mmCIF file with all atom_site columns, all heavy atoms in Angstrom:
data_model
loop_
_atom_site.group_PDB
_atom_site.id
_atom_site.type_symbol
_atom_site.label_atom_id
_atom_site.label_alt_id
_atom_site.label_comp_id
_atom_site.label_asym_id
_atom_site.label_entity_id
_atom_site.label_seq_id
_atom_site.pdbx_PDB_ins_code
_atom_site.Cartn_x
_atom_site.Cartn_y
_atom_site.Cartn_z
_atom_site.occupancy
_atom_site.B_iso_or_equiv
_atom_site.pdbx_formal_charge
_atom_site.auth_seq_id
_atom_site.auth_comp_id
_atom_site.auth_asym_id
_atom_site.auth_atom_id
_atom_site.pdbx_PDB_model_num
ATOM 1  N N   . THR T 1 79 ? -4.482 4.944   -5.044 1.00 92.00 ? 79 THR T N   1
ATOM 2  C CA  . THR T 1 79 ? -3.097 4.469   -5.152 1.00 92.00 ? 79 THR T CA  1
ATOM 3  C C   . THR T 1 79 ? -2.786 3.341   -4.171 1.00 92.00 ? 79 THR T C   1
ATOM 4  O O   . THR T 1 79 ? -1.675 2.855   -4.141 1.00 92.00 ? 79 THR T O   1
ATOM 5  C CB  . THR T 1 79 ? -2.102 5.610   -4.922 1.00 92.00 ? 79 THR T CB  1
ATOM 6  O OG1 . THR T 1 79 ? -2.398 6.201   -3.660 1.00 92.00 ? 79 THR T OG1 1
ATOM 7  C CG2 . THR T 1 79 ? -2.203 6.655   -5.995 1.00 92.00 ? 79 THR T CG2 1
ATOM 8  N N   . GLY T 1 80 ? -3.755 2.966   -3.348 1.00 92.00 ? 80 GLY T N   1
ATOM 9  C CA  . GLY T 1 80 ? -3.541 1.770   -2.540 1.00 92.00 ? 80 GLY T CA  1
ATOM 10 C C   . GLY T 1 80 ? -3.168 2.018   -1.092 1.00 92.00 ? 80 GLY T C   1
ATOM 11 O O   . GLY T 1 80 ? -2.656 1.127   -0.435 1.00 92.00 ? 80 GLY T O   1
ATOM 12 N N   . THR T 1 81 ? -3.410 3.227   -0.591 1.00 93.00 ? 81 THR T N   1
ATOM 13 C CA  . THR T 1 81 ? -3.072 3.522   0.798  1.00 93.00 ? 81 THR T CA  1
ATOM 14 C C   . THR T 1 81 ? -3.894 2.646   1.742  1.00 93.00 ? 81 THR T C   1
ATOM 15 O O   . THR T 1 81 ? -3.342 1.868   2.532  1.00 93.00 ? 81 THR T O   1
ATOM 16 C CB  . THR T 1 81 ? -3.367 4.998   1.110  1.00 93.00 ? 81 THR T CB  1
ATOM 17 O OG1 . THR T 1 81 ? -2.798 5.786   0.085  1.00 93.00 ? 81 THR T OG1 1
ATOM 18 C CG2 . THR T 1 81 ? -2.792 5.385   2.436  1.00 93.00 ? 81 THR T CG2 1
ATOM 19 N N   . THR T 1 82 ? -5.215 2.750   1.644  1.00 95.00 ? 82 THR T N   1
ATOM 20 C CA  . THR T 1 82 ? -6.067 1.965   2.532  1.00 95.00 ? 82 THR T CA  1
ATOM 21 C C   . THR T 1 82 ? -6.054 0.492   2.120  1.00 95.00 ? 82 THR T C   1
ATOM 22 O O   . THR T 1 82 ? -6.074 -0.393  2.970  1.00 95.00 ? 82 THR T O   1
ATOM 23 C CB  . THR T 1 82 ? -7.507 2.502   2.503  1.00 95.00 ? 82 THR T CB  1
ATOM 24 O OG1 . THR T 1 82 ? -7.469 3.902   2.742  1.00 95.00 ? 82 THR T OG1 1
ATOM 25 C CG2 . THR T 1 82 ? -8.349 1.850   3.562  1.00 95.00 ? 82 THR T CG2 1
ATOM 26 N N   . VAL T 1 83 ? -5.984 0.244   0.813  1.00 95.00 ? 83 VAL T N   1
ATOM 27 C CA  . VAL T 1 83 ? -5.987 -1.144  0.338  1.00 95.00 ? 83 VAL T CA  1
ATOM 28 C C   . VAL T 1 83 ? -4.871 -1.935  1.000  1.00 95.00 ? 83 VAL T C   1
ATOM 29 O O   . VAL T 1 83 ? -5.056 -3.094  1.385  1.00 95.00 ? 83 VAL T O   1
ATOM 30 C CB  . VAL T 1 83 ? -5.795 -1.201  -1.191 1.00 95.00 ? 83 VAL T CB  1
ATOM 31 C CG1 . VAL T 1 83 ? -5.917 -2.631  -1.672 1.00 95.00 ? 83 VAL T CG1 1
ATOM 32 C CG2 . VAL T 1 83 ? -6.811 -0.354  -1.890 1.00 95.00 ? 83 VAL T CG2 1
ATOM 33 N N   . SER T 1 84 ? -3.707 -1.326  1.161  1.00 95.00 ? 84 SER T N   1
ATOM 34 C CA  . SER T 1 84 ? -2.577 -2.054  1.726  1.00 95.00 ? 84 SER T CA  1
ATOM 35 C C   . SER T 1 84 ? -2.891 -2.500  3.155  1.00 95.00 ? 84 SER T C   1
ATOM 36 O O   . SER T 1 84 ? -2.498 -3.589  3.571  1.00 95.00 ? 84 SER T O   1
ATOM 37 C CB  . SER T 1 84 ? -1.331 -1.188  1.696  1.00 95.00 ? 84 SER T CB  1
ATOM 38 O OG  . SER T 1 84 ? -1.470 -0.090  2.567  1.00 95.00 ? 84 SER T OG  1
ATOM 39 N N   . HIS T 1 85 ? -3.613 -1.665  3.907  1.00 96.00 ? 85 HIS T N   1
ATOM 40 C CA  . HIS T 1 85 ? -3.953 -2.048  5.277  1.00 96.00 ? 85 HIS T CA  1
ATOM 41 C C   . HIS T 1 85 ? -5.049 -3.117  5.295  1.00 96.00 ? 85 HIS T C   1
ATOM 42 O O   . HIS T 1 85 ? -5.023 -4.020  6.135  1.00 96.00 ? 85 HIS T O   1
ATOM 43 C CB  . HIS T 1 85 ? -4.386 -0.812  6.082  1.00 96.00 ? 85 HIS T CB  1
ATOM 44 C CG  . HIS T 1 85 ? -3.239 0.123   6.342  1.00 96.00 ? 85 HIS T CG  1
ATOM 45 N ND1 . HIS T 1 85 ? -2.273 -0.136  7.281  1.00 96.00 ? 85 HIS T ND1 1
ATOM 46 C CD2 . HIS T 1 85 ? -2.889 1.288   5.754  1.00 96.00 ? 85 HIS T CD2 1
ATOM 47 C CE1 . HIS T 1 85 ? -1.378 0.840   7.285  1.00 96.00 ? 85 HIS T CE1 1
ATOM 48 N NE2 . HIS T 1 85 ? -1.727 1.706   6.359  1.00 96.00 ? 85 HIS T NE2 1
ATOM 49 N N   . VAL T 1 86 ? -5.984 -3.015  4.353  1.00 96.00 ? 86 VAL T N   1
ATOM 50 C CA  . VAL T 1 86 ? -6.994 -4.072  4.238  1.00 96.00 ? 86 VAL T CA  1
ATOM 51 C C   . VAL T 1 86 ? -6.291 -5.389  3.902  1.00 96.00 ? 86 VAL T C   1
ATOM 52 O O   . VAL T 1 86 ? -6.608 -6.450  4.449  1.00 96.00 ? 86 VAL T O   1
ATOM 53 C CB  . VAL T 1 86 ? -8.038 -3.717  3.164  1.00 96.00 ? 86 VAL T CB  1
ATOM 54 C CG1 . VAL T 1 86 ? -8.983 -4.879  2.937  1.00 96.00 ? 86 VAL T CG1 1
ATOM 55 C CG2 . VAL T 1 86 ? -8.823 -2.488  3.571  1.00 96.00 ? 86 VAL T CG2 1
ATOM 56 N N   . SER T 1 87 ? -5.317 -5.306  3.022  1.00 95.00 ? 87 SER T N   1
ATOM 57 C CA  . SER T 1 87 ? -4.546 -6.493  2.649  1.00 95.00 ? 87 SER T CA  1
ATOM 58 C C   . SER T 1 87 ? -3.800 -7.056  3.864  1.00 95.00 ? 87 SER T C   1
ATOM 59 O O   . SER T 1 87 ? -3.698 -8.269  4.035  1.00 95.00 ? 87 SER T O   1
ATOM 60 C CB  . SER T 1 87 ? -3.594 -6.122  1.516  1.00 95.00 ? 87 SER T CB  1
ATOM 61 O OG  . SER T 1 87 ? -2.423 -6.852  1.569  1.00 95.00 ? 87 SER T OG  1
ATOM 62 N N   . ASP T 1 88 ? -3.281 -6.173  4.734  1.00 95.00 ? 88 ASP T N   1
ATOM 63 C CA  . ASP T 1 88 ? -2.654 -6.623  5.987  1.00 95.00 ? 88 ASP T CA  1
ATOM 64 C C   . ASP T 1 88 ? -3.663 -7.361  6.865  1.00 95.00 ? 88 ASP T C   1
ATOM 65 O O   . ASP T 1 88 ? -3.351 -8.385  7.467  1.00 95.00 ? 88 ASP T O   1
ATOM 66 C CB  . ASP T 1 88 ? -2.127 -5.421  6.782  1.00 95.00 ? 88 ASP T CB  1
ATOM 67 C CG  . ASP T 1 88 ? -0.805 -4.915  6.229  1.00 95.00 ? 88 ASP T CG  1
ATOM 68 O OD1 . ASP T 1 88 ? -0.215 -5.626  5.398  1.00 95.00 ? 88 ASP T OD1 1
ATOM 69 O OD2 . ASP T 1 88 ? -0.393 -3.813  6.615  1.00 95.00 ? 88 ASP T OD2 1
ATOM 70 N N   . ILE T 1 89 ? -4.887 -6.799  6.933  1.00 95.00 ? 89 ILE T N   1
ATOM 71 C CA  . ILE T 1 89 ? -5.886 -7.359  7.838  1.00 95.00 ? 89 ILE T CA  1
ATOM 72 C C   . ILE T 1 89 ? -6.328 -8.743  7.375  1.00 95.00 ? 89 ILE T C   1
ATOM 73 O O   . ILE T 1 89 ? -6.409 -9.679  8.163  1.00 95.00 ? 89 ILE T O   1
ATOM 74 C CB  . ILE T 1 89 ? -7.107 -6.406  7.935  1.00 95.00 ? 89 ILE T CB  1
ATOM 75 C CG1 . ILE T 1 89 ? -6.704 -5.135  8.673  1.00 95.00 ? 89 ILE T CG1 1
ATOM 76 C CG2 . ILE T 1 89 ? -8.258 -7.083  8.681  1.00 95.00 ? 89 ILE T CG2 1
ATOM 77 C CD1 . ILE T 1 89 ? -7.761 -4.050  8.634  1.00 95.00 ? 89 ILE T CD1 1
ATOM 78 N N   . VAL T 1 90 ? -6.623 -8.898  6.074  1.00 95.00 ? 90 VAL T N   1
ATOM 79 C CA  . VAL T 1 90 ? -7.103 -10.204 5.612  1.00 95.00 ? 90 VAL T CA  1
ATOM 80 C C   . VAL T 1 90 ? -5.979 -11.244 5.599  1.00 95.00 ? 90 VAL T C   1
ATOM 81 O O   . VAL T 1 90 ? -6.238 -12.433 5.653  1.00 95.00 ? 90 VAL T O   1
ATOM 82 C CB  . VAL T 1 90 ? -7.775 -10.143 4.220  1.00 95.00 ? 90 VAL T CB  1
ATOM 83 C CG1 . VAL T 1 90 ? -8.976 -9.243  4.247  1.00 95.00 ? 90 VAL T CG1 1
ATOM 84 C CG2 . VAL T 1 90 ? -6.801 -9.731  3.143  1.00 95.00 ? 90 VAL T CG2 1
#
Side-chain angles (χ1 to χ4, degrees):
Chain T
T79 55
T81 312
T82 308
V83 185
S84 67
H85 291 284
V86 173
S87 148
D88 281 348
I89 291 171
V90 299

